[in-house]
Amino acid sequence: TVATLVEQIFLGLGGQENSWQQDGDLINHEASALGLDPSLAMEALPWRPRLNTEQTVAWTVQWYKMASHGVDMREFSLRQLDTYAALPALSSQ
């Protein structure tokens, strides 16, 4: 769900569990669940995902944390890409 994704990102950035709350007035305007479907990319390109959803969120959070700490983001991004390229493709998504 969107709430689960927000919680993972918030906790990854050093927030406290349940320290945010959903605005009840916006519930009808936002999707309650987000679905990411890589099947078109997998069909059209010689590509397979190498990270699951939780890992992808963790890597994204780590990228933002490093950026906020003044890390050389070109260097960090290249290392992250090298690490990603060395991972085996997930067997099913």
Side-chain angles (χ1 to χ4, degrees), residues 79-93:
R79 275 188 285 127
Q80 204 174 46
L81 286 168
D82 286 343
T83 301
Y84 180 83
L87 294 172
L90 296 178
S91 57
S92 63
Q93 184 69 13

Side-chain angles (χ1 to χ4, degrees), residues 35 38 55 63-64 67:
Q55 292 166 321
W63 192 96
Y64 279 99

